[in-house]
């Protein structure tokens, strides 16, 4: 027999407990991957994300069930075309058919604002795929124009930081020389269509590769002396912003200053193999919690101080079927049963303004207020979590 309990009342109990708050609108989204065999249904995910005030979702496909589940919501979607389908999109007929079936049919009930064509294509070794990328993007944009959707939906692709030939100092950022003849026309496309340049940036990878030389405080947004860019004298107190400015510098070096760079993926794993340094729930909570706190400050990077930072955190769930090291399956904020893998406490520490290793953890979404947890609050929260799990496991 299924247990029924109004979701609105559950959320009210959590609000009474002082643990979930309405938040300021942030340039924060979440990557909703589904390489797993045990995930909850999209209809169960929708109220979870609403309760956390997450209003931007990035998919790696155009899952009809997900897009239907968020119909008539204020959630903005990025939908994706996999690398295996990029070549087909060069054909204008197939491009228009794909948009008609995977985008137009859901508008305007579901807000789809962007299409990613492939993922990290330029950092791979498939020359055919690399050569097909821009023609596919151009064909899809042409289809949007033909359907009258080009003013509300943009075309882009997501890149790995590996496309950079140099990233330090940030002001000297540059793309790999052997990719320049692909990137130059791609940047021209972004400039003309006013579409964002997406980058997947993971300070975790730099720390994992050199834990004895890369400062953990620097990659976790904690108090540290920072790194000075000798060309600009700008101080970087975290690696993510340095990586972002390196991309801006690389784009500027190719003659463009009107292209918006957005971080399409960033995150920290809560578990890893023995040789994956730093992959712990404590560090994951610190990274994502402090990242959200930075976004609440509405600050830019040292090089681009007045340009908003747009970030999509990776990822919503742990995905048990992803290949590769253990960390690849443990980037999620939540387990598939919708319980948190770790918690993000957005309280400020008195000394640094950010989270410290001794801080207690609690998922609160993107709160802009400090919270005080009482024993009554913990009791209510425990009831909430139990009812939530019982409701959604049916």
């Amino acid at each position: 027999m299924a247990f029924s309990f109004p979701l609105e009342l559950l959320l009210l109990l959590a609000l009474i407990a002082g643990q979930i708050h309405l938040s300021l609108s942030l340039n924060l989204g979440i990557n909703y991957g589904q390489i797993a065999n045990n995930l909850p249904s999209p209809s169960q995910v929708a109220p979870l994300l609403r309760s956390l005030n997450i209003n931007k979702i990035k998919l790696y496909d155009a899952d009809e069930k997900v897009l239907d589940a968020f119909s008539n919501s204020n959630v903005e979607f990025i939908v994706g075309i996999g690398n295996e389908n990029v070549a087909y999109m060069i054909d204008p007929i197939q491009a228009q058919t794909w948009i008609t079936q995977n985008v137009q049919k859901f508008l305007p009930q579901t807000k789809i604002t962007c299409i990613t064509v492939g993922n990290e294509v330029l950092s791979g070794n498939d020359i055919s795929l690399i050569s097909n990328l821009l023609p596919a993007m151009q064909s899809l944009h042409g289809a949007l124009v033909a359907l009258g959707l080009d003013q509300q939906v943009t075309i882009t692709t997501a890149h790995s930081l590996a496309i950079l030939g140099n990233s330090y100092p940030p002001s000297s950022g540059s793309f790999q020389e052997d990719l320049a003849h692909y990137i130059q026309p791609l940047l021209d496309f972004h400039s003309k269509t006013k579409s964002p340049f997406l980058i997947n940036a993971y300070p975790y990878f730099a720390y994992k590769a050199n834990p004895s030389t890369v400062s953990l405080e620097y990659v976790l947004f904690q108090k540290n002396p920072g790194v000075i860019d000798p060309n600009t004298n700008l101080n970087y107190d975290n690696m993510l912003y340095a990586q972002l400015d390196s991309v801006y510098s690389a784009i500027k070096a190719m003659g463009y200053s009107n292209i918006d760079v957005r971080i399409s993926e960033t995150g920290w794993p809560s578990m890893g193999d023995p040789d994956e340094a730093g992959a712990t729930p404590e560090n994951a909570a610190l990274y994502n919690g402090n990242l959200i706190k930075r976004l609440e400050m509405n600050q830019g990077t040292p090089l681009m101080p007045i340009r908003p930072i747009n970030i999509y955190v990776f990822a919503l769930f742990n995905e048990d079927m992803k290949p590769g090291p253990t960390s690849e399956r443990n980037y999620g904020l939540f387990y598939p049963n919708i319980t948190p893998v770790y918690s993000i406490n957005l309280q400020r520490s008195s000394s640094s303004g950010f989270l410290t290793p001794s801080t207690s953890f609690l998922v609160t979404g993107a709160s802009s207020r400090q919270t005080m947890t009482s024993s009554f609050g913990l009791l209510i929260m425990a009831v909430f979590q139990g009812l939530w799990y019982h409701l959604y496991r049916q």
Side-chain angles (χ1 to χ4, degrees), residues 287-309:
Y287 183 82
N288 286 322
N290 282 332
L291 172 62
I292 293 171
K293 183 59 68 179
R294 286 298 180 104
L295 292 178
E296 287 184 328
M297 293 180 177
N298 199 31
Q299 62 181 193
T301 64
L303 188 63
M304 311 292 285
I306 63 173
R307 183 167 293 190
I309 299 174

Side-chain angles (χ1 to χ4, degrees), residues 155-207:
I155 301 293
T156 188
T157 186
H159 303 282
S160 162
L161 271 180
I163 65 173
L164 291 179
N166 183 58
S167 61
Y168 179 82
S171 60
S172 296
S174 62
F175 294 114
Q176 290 190 34
E177 290 184 8
D178 60 345
L179 293 177
H181 64 291
Y182 294 111
I183 294 177
Q184 185 78 54
L186 187 64
L187 292 176
D188 192 58
F189 172 85
H190 286 301
S191 179
K192 290 179 178 177
T193 63
K194 296 179 172 53
S195 56
F197 188 92
L198 303 185
I199 194 79
N200 298 337
Y202 288 88
Y204 166 72
F205 292 154
Y207 178 77

Side-chain angles (χ1 to χ4, degrees), residues 60-72:
Y60 293 88
D61 52 21
D63 190 310
E64 182 173 4
K65 292 181 180 178
V66 174
L67 296 174
D68 279 337
F70 285 86
S71 179
N72 298 312

Side-chain angles (χ1 to χ4, degrees), residues 24-27 221 237-238 241 289-300 305 308-309 346 348-349 352-355 367-368:
L24 297 175
S25 177
L26 301 178
N27 292 318
F221 302 92
D237 66 355
N238 72 86
Y241 285 13
N290 282 332
L291 172 62
I292 293 171
K293 183 59 68 179
R294 286 298 180 104
L295 292 178
E296 287 184 328
M297 293 180 177
N298 199 31
Q299 62 181 193
I309 299 174
L346 298 177
R348 300 182 181 183
S349 73
S352 66
F354 297 101
L355 303 183
S367 168
S368 61

